[in-house]
Amino acid sequence: MESIVNQINELKKQKNAIIMAHYYTTDEVQRVADYVGDSFYLAKAAKNTNADIIVFCGVAFMGESVKILNPEKKVLMPDMNADCAMAHMASVETINKMRERYEDLAVVCYINSTAELKCHSDVCVTSSNAVKIVKSLPNKNIFFIPDQNLGRYVKKEAPEKNIILNDGYCPVHVKIDEKWLKDMKSEHPNALVLTHPECTDEIIKLSDYIGSTADILKFAKNSDKKEFIICTEDGVSYPLKNNNPEKVFYFLPKEYRCLDMKLNTLNKILHVLKTEENEVFVSDETREKSLKPLDTMLEMAK
Ligand code: 13P
Ligand code: SF4
């Protein structure tokens, strides 16, 4: 293992490459990464790097967004099969129908979506800026795609808007069982429940804090409390434990893992660094159209 890490570091230097990883990747992947974060942080960080090659350890829509924001850079994915099921759970036909129905409609697209869906949207959001961006849009009518759960959460936080929900969902977060959480709460009555907004309303209602993966990390670090139940993918256990050795965290059982995120491994990182295979390509037309909502997000989230 040590020698894989050494080889990765050597190739990174030789090729002016960096590794970016989402918090849901494994500990060993996060350990070799130069940038680890939530989707918003990674999108911003990708724009500010001088590297020639970015090895992106996450899922397809993330690598695609990085390529759209950095067309001149080579973006490599350790595993091209790592995809987010939710990113495909909306359709251009439905967007077009909604646009016909509402004159002032803004199509707000969670960054967990294909580049094609972004092309037909007005602004992208991530879980860390969705409420802020939706609230500051001039439009009353908002079609929120693809995630119904994040959309429902934003709707509660922005009651002044007419938010129309789509029926997409994250297959990992929607599975979280209400009974499991209730049992955990009675077993650990002093623990605060920190939850990702992709969870269902039943889970949100039982929670003390709702936020993106990065927000959850920040909350746990700044809280005076010592125990936390974490309702999001357990990749966050690595930074949570590292940053808070004195605190206790209870994570979801193993069956709630995002298996796509876990497709990123050290061997595959080494392989793509050596061969420069698995390059992400986005056509010029798609890039041009999908850049606008991404740039609008970066601007509005400032
Ligand atoms: P974050 O925006 O918190 O990184 O979440 C991304 C994601 O895929 C959650 O399932
Ligand atoms: Fe997609 Fe869910 Fe995996 Fe996040 S956890 S990448 S939303 S499938």
Side-chain angles (χ1 to χ4, degrees):
M1 164 106 95
E2 195 49 42
S3 95
I4 297 184
V5 174
N6 288 344
Q7 289 179 65
I8 289 174
N9 287 335
E10 197 44 51
L11 280 165
K12 266 184 359 187
K13 261 191 256 154
Q14 265 176 36
K15 298 196 171 187
N16 188 27
I18 54 160
I19 300 176
M20 295 193 154
H22 189 270
Y23 285 130
Y24 292 164
T25 55
T26 60
D27 299 8
E28 58 182 33
V29 168
Q30 293 188 42
R31 229 176 272 132
V32 295
D34 302 280
Y35 296 85
V36 184
D38 69 354
S39 333
F40 184 52
Y41 168 82
L42 293 170
K44 274 191 306 183
K47 257 199 108 142
N48 298 328
T49 165
N50 295 321
D52 296 314
I53 297 180
I54 300 174
V55 177
F56 196 96
C57 305
V59 288
F61 77 83
M62 295 180 175
E64 219 171 46
S65 301
V66 168
K67 183 65 187 176
I68 293 163
L69 291 165
N70 301 276
E72 73 293 348
K73 294 192 173 122
K74 195 175 252 190
V75 180
L76 307 174
M77 302 277 300
D79 191 317
M80 294 302 252
N81 292 319
D83 198 1
C84 167
M86 179 166 69
H88 305 268
M89 292 185 191
S91 76
V92 174
E93 292 70 47
T94 321
I95 295 176
N96 290 340
K97 264 190 215 149
M98 288 297 169
R99 287 205 191 273
E100 272 168 31
R101 197 172 303 162
Y102 299 93
E103 239 178 56
D104 78 321
L105 190 77
V107 178
V108 174
C109 184
Y110 188 21
I111 198 166
N112 295 39
S113 56
T114 59
E116 203 213 350
L117 288 171
K118 290 184 178 84
C119 288
H120 294 268
S121 303
D122 297 298
V123 61
C124 287
V125 296
T126 71
S127 52
S128 64
N129 58 34
V131 172
K132 178 178 172 177
I133 290 180
V134 165
K135 273 182 164 292
S136 53
L137 284 169
N139 319 59
K140 166 111 180 136
N141 294 309
I142 311 279
F143 184 33
F144 194 99
I145 59 166
D147 188 16
Q148 61 181 290
N149 292 302
L150 178 60
R152 192 174 298 108
Y153 172 69
V154 174
K155 199 176 167 89
K156 263 203 235 158
E157 298 294 307
E160 69 279 18
K161 301 286 184 185
N162 175 34
I163 298 183
I164 304 139
L165 298 177
N166 178 64
D167 55 9
Y169 58 89
C170 161
V172 174
H173 286 86
V174 293
K175 271 199 309 202
I176 301 176
D177 183 28
E178 206 181 331
K179 181 174 174 319
W180 172 82
L181 183 53
K182 284 183 174 160
D183 290 349
M184 287 298 281
K185 280 172 71 109
S186 19
E187 253 176 73
H188 309 286
N190 296 323
L192 290 184
V193 180
L194 316 187
T195 293
H196 197 280
E198 285 175 14
C199 292
T200 60
D201 202 34
E202 290 73 38
I203 300 297
I204 300 257
K205 280 183 185 142
L206 293 167
S207 303
D208 298 292
Y209 176 76
I210 315 299
S212 75
T213 47
D215 293 334
I216 288 175
L217 287 168
K218 213 183 296 160
F219 185 94
K221 178 89 189 145
N222 295 335
S223 169
D224 304 334
K225 297 279 173 148
K226 293 277 170 275
E227 281 180 80
F228 305 89
I229 299 166
I230 305 296
C231 290
T232 192
E233 215 273 351
D234 75 352
V236 294
S237 63
Y238 179 68
L240 276 172
K241 288 186 200 157
N242 268 352
N243 300 345
N244 309 280
E246 75 294 359
K247 297 184 179 175
V248 180
F249 298 98
Y250 306 105
F251 297 102
L252 296 169
K254 292 198 182 0
E255 67 260 31
Y256 296 110
R257 288 204 168 136
C258 178
L259 297 180
D260 284 271
M261 286 283 186
K262 308 302 188 211
L263 288 174
N264 296 285
T265 63
L266 290 186
N267 278 320
K268 291 179 197 170
I269 294 173
L270 180 61
H271 181 77
V272 294
L273 268 172
K274 267 188 195 156
T275 61
E276 299 185 26
E277 282 173 8
N278 291 1
E279 186 172 354
V280 177
F281 288 105
V282 177
S283 74
D284 287 347
E285 194 194 347
T286 302
R287 181 187 172 259
E288 217 169 280
K289 289 188 185 154
S290 55
L291 180 61
K292 208 174 135 267
L294 280 167
D295 268 345
T296 308
M297 169 184 81
L298 293 171
E299 197 46 45
M300 288 184 79
K302 269 182 189 160

